[in-house]
Amino acid sequence: MTSDTAAGAPQAPAAPKSRKSVIGTRRTVAALFLLPALLLLGALVVYPIGYSVVRSFYDQSGGGFAGFDNYEALFTDEGIRTALQNNIVWVVFAPTVATALGLIFAVLTERVRWGTAFKLVVFMPMAISMLAAGIIFRLVYDQDPDKGVANAVWVGVHDTFVQSSAFPKAHPGRDSPLRAAGGGAFATKEPVRAGQTVVLPLVGVAPDLMPDGAESAAPPKAEPGRITGTTWQDFTRGKGVGQLNGVDASELGYAGMRIEAVKDGKVVASTTAAGDGTFTLPASADGALLRLPADNFKQAYNGLDWLGPSLVTPAIIGAYIWMWAGFAMVLIAAGLAGIPRELLEAARVDGATEWQVFRRVTVPLLAPVLAVVAVTLMINVLKIFDLVFIIAPGSSQDDANVLALELYRKGFSEDQPGIASAIAVFLLLLVIPVMWFNVRRLRREVRR
């Protein structure tokens, strides 16, 4: 009976595992799941950083300890100092302008129907790689107005207010009645008289570059009390064809050429040639020398040298802003959507203008978002490389140099891996405080 009772009696429940044992098991499982990622992170991030720090203390060959010589070069090497100065310009202007444009776009498109479409267009450059954007803007900034969009617009605006010359290469030909008058102008060798006809032949303008209004040149006709003349392209194709210093039917007049009558160093009369090159001056020009001012022959305005030494960095920053203003706009628009509408309406009810609502309510409430956007862009521009490498031509790449590009040049073009490693460590030290600030702010937002 005792054995049956013992056999049929229920078993006592097993003792529960300790809390420490459960926590330890969970940590082990979590560590196993994280191990592949940690190995990958160590191989791709931690090891390269550690190797770069160690390599920065060695010389070019890697066999001799150089101490802090490579770091000293950061502040003595001319190329690195230029790169550092340009990085400061980038950090100050690029994030500020991109964030400001993003804020403006987000606020202005909040109430319009087509706001979503506009945001899509502004954000679209983010879908383009830095390489493609660099190629695009290399073409946009081309010096030739027929190729570069920037100069095409700039030259168009300039020519609207300042007329460009149509005869930049015109000059007197053989046995011409004209002589050089200094400063690029030409003048007649002898004074002119009322009732006299004058010929002012020039050469040097290609037929396909003649003004659109140019017509077949017409010989001058004498008029009593006036001075008449013709200025034209004294050139006819074919050997021995045409009369020297004589108007031929196949030759074109210099339409729009300006002629001045100069007496005792003063301009007493002036006129502009018609389409056939003919012109007329009043009797006041009697006894004067006829002068073709230098403005007739100045080189046509060719726009700005966007990729020259003085403008290359602002031009590349413009390309960067074109790409990243959409990123700033989207983040700021998301923050704008989270602002309570009651606060804005209360400010308007109290009599605040839209500008006051924007400045005293909207911007302060968006301050955390604006800070995150600006700091993120600062981190991004500290590492900028692609746009500078692609857009800046070889002639001005030294002037557009930045730290990331100088790192590449020192490490691969100039075979100075020690200095390149020092630049990499220096860049890391610059980025860490900005990243720490960003992470700290994000944690504060999460706690709220």
Side-chain angles (χ1 to χ4, degrees):
M1 181 176 178
T2 303
S3 60
D4 293 341
T5 303
Q11 297 289 330
K17 292 183 179 180
S18 67
R19 181 178 180 82
K20 289 184 179 180
S21 175
V22 173
I23 293 175
T25 302
R26 290 178 178 177
R27 286 179 177 175
T28 303
V29 173
L32 290 174
F33 275 105
L34 290 175
L35 184 61
L38 292 175
L39 292 175
L40 192 61
L41 185 66
L44 298 181
V45 178
V46 178
Y47 173 75
I49 291 175
Y51 180 80
S52 296
V53 172
V54 173
R55 188 66 181 83
S56 67
F57 291 102
Y58 284 83
D59 59 14
Q60 182 175 338
S61 65
F65 186 74
F68 288 93
D69 291 349
N70 293 326
Y71 289 94
E72 183 180 350
L74 297 180
F75 304 98
T76 57
D77 184 276
E78 188 65 30
I80 300 177
R81 284 196 299 177
T82 301
L84 183 58
Q85 292 170 2
N86 285 337
N87 264 104
I88 294 173
V89 174
W90 272 90
V91 170
V92 171
F93 289 101
T96 303
V97 177
T99 304
L101 284 177
L103 175 62
I104 293 171
F105 291 154
V107 172
L108 292 182
T109 58
E110 186 185 21
R111 299 182 182 180
V112 295
R113 290 183 182 178
W114 42 268
T116 303
F118 179 82
K119 290 176 182 177
L120 178 64
V121 171
V122 175
F123 187 75
M124 197 174 295
M126 285 294 298
I128 303 175
S129 68
M130 285 283 195
L131 172 64
I135 295 172
I136 290 171
F137 275 88
R138 183 68 180 268
L139 296 174
V140 167
Y141 291 134
D142 195 288
Q143 178 69 45
D144 187 352
D146 293 331
K147 298 178 182 178
V149 176
N151 263 344
V153 174
W154 191 263
V155 171
V157 173
H158 174 273
D159 290 349
T160 301
F161 300 98
V162 181
Q163 187 65 36
S164 293
S165 168
F167 322 107
K169 296 183 179 180
H171 60 274
R174 179 165 49 93
D175 298 329
S176 173
L178 293 168
R179 60 175 176 79
F186 302 106
T188 55
K189 297 176 181 178
E190 301 294 336
V192 296
R193 297 296 175 184
Q196 176 185 352
T197 60
V198 185
V199 290
L200 305 177
L202 294 167
V203 295
V205 180
D208 57 334
L209 297 180
M210 290 293 287
D212 294 336
E215 304 171 2
S216 296
K221 296 179 180 179
E223 296 183 19
R226 292 173 177 267
I227 298 168
T228 56
T230 300
T231 177
W232 80 102
Q233 172 84 345
D234 188 24
F235 176 79
T236 303
R237 292 180 182 274
K239 185 176 181 181
V241 178
Q243 178 185 357
L244 183 65
N245 297 332
V247 179
D248 299 309
S250 61
E251 296 169 344
L252 297 176
Y254 279 134
M257 178 73 75
R258 185 168 180 77
I259 302 100
E260 296 176 343
V262 181
K263 189 184 296 184
D264 298 328
K266 297 181 180 180
V267 177
V268 296
S270 64
T271 187
T272 302
D276 59 2
T278 58
F279 61 89
T280 303
L281 288 166
S284 59
D286 183 60
L289 293 174
L290 297 191
R291 182 176 67 186
L292 303 179
D295 288 348
N296 290 314
F297 312 107
K298 66 182 181 181
Q299 291 291 331
Y301 183 68
N302 207 35
L304 297 175
D305 187 8
W306 296 101
L307 300 182
S310 58
L311 291 178
V312 63
T313 295
I316 300 173
I317 290 176
Y320 177 88
I321 292 171
W322 175 78
M323 289 192 68
W324 288 87
F327 167 81
M329 178 196 65
V330 170
L331 292 188
I332 295 171
L336 196 60
I339 294 179
R341 301 293 116 176
E342 304 83 38
L343 297 177
L344 303 179
E345 293 303 325
R348 294 187 180 101
V349 169
D350 288 342
T353 63
E354 289 299 322
W355 169 247
Q356 290 173 327
V357 171
F358 172 75
R359 186 165 61 93
R360 297 182 180 275
V361 180
T362 304
V363 172
L365 291 175
L366 284 176
V369 178
L370 296 176
V372 169
V373 171
V375 171
T376 302
L377 292 179
M378 284 181 186
I379 296 172
N380 189 269
V381 299
L382 280 171
K383 304 178 294 179
I384 192 71
F385 167 79
D386 324 57
L387 286 179
V388 181
F389 183 72
I390 297 166
I391 295 178
S395 58
S396 59
Q397 198 166 86
D398 287 342
D399 301 283
N401 201 10
V402 290
L403 287 174
L405 177 59
E406 185 65 13
L407 186 156
Y408 169 81
R409 294 168 70 174
K410 293 293 185 187
F412 297 96
S413 300
E414 302 177 18
D415 194 23
Q416 299 183 36
I419 296 179
S421 299
I423 296 174
V425 174
F426 183 64
L427 267 176
L428 179 64
L429 294 176
L430 290 178
V431 170
I432 285 176
V434 185
M435 291 181 63
W436 175 80
F437 175 83
N438 214 15
V439 171
R440 186 179 178 186
R441 179 170 285 277
L442 287 172
R443 285 180 177 175
R444 286 180 183 174
E445 293 300 317
V446 171
R447 288 171 186 170
R448 291 178 185 176

